Structure formats: structure tokens, C-alpha cells
Amino acid sequence: MDVRKLFTAVGAGITSFLLVAVLVIELLNMEFSAIIGLPVGLLAGVVVFVGLWIGGDELSLGMRRAATAYAVFGLALLVLFALRYVNIGRGVLTSEVIVGGSIAAVVVVYITLSLYDRN
């Protein structure tokens, strides 16, 4: 089993879950919108996980690189929220810093993978 494939599939599933759930919750202008948004996000995350687990090997090199960078966003987001939860850097880790740090992690991973894949 390839570790990169596992982390890519799990991370992309988590990222898709978070993005779809938040998008649905924010777009529905009604009370208890999370009752609809969370299952829809979970379904989207499972579909992305299964799709990458089954068909991730057939993707081109650039698409695999982009999928891995996409997966890093969700994983970095969870790690930074976990650090905030256990009071490590709570004063520094605001929501904006967490999202910005996750986007920075995506950029760093994408550049690193493009340099690594050249060799």
C-alpha cells in the first residue's frame, strides 16, 4: 500500500467534506441547515475518497500532484484546529491564521512535489 495514496485519499475526502458541508450550511438560509449540510458533505467526502482510492493510480502526474496538494488543505486544517483545541498557540491560531496556514501548506506541498517529481 502506497502511503501517499492513502494520505491523498483520506485528506481529499476530509477536504471535500469540510468544503461541501460549510458551503451548503452557508448557502442555506434556514435554521438547522447543518442537518442538511453535514450529511451532504459526508457523502461528498466519501465519494472523493473512494474515487481517489480506486482511480488515483490512473491520474496523470500533474493531477496526482494537485490531488495531493488538495488533500493537504484538509489535513493541515485539522492539525491546526487540534493544536488550537489543546491550547497550543490559542492566541495566535485564529480562524484566519488557520485557513491561511493551510493554504500556505498547500502551496509548499505542491512546489515540493513538483520539484521532487522532476527528479
Side-chain angles (χ1 to χ4, degrees), residues 32-100:
F32 304 115
S33 60
I35 293 174
I36 298 168
L38 291 176
V40 171
L42 185 62
L43 179 65
V46 169
V47 167
V48 169
F49 171 79
V50 170
L52 278 175
W53 186 256
I54 292 173
D57 294 332
E58 287 86 27
L59 295 174
S60 68
L61 186 62
M63 288 302 294
R64 277 185 286 174
R65 187 181 314 134
T68 303
Y70 175 75
V72 166
F73 179 78
L75 295 174
L77 202 70
L78 286 182
V79 167
L80 291 173
F81 271 125
L83 288 175
R84 182 177 173 185
Y85 179 75
V86 295
N87 289 333
I88 298 175
R90 179 169 274 201
V92 176
L93 292 175
T94 62
S95 297
E96 294 83 9
V97 170
I98 290 173
V99 172

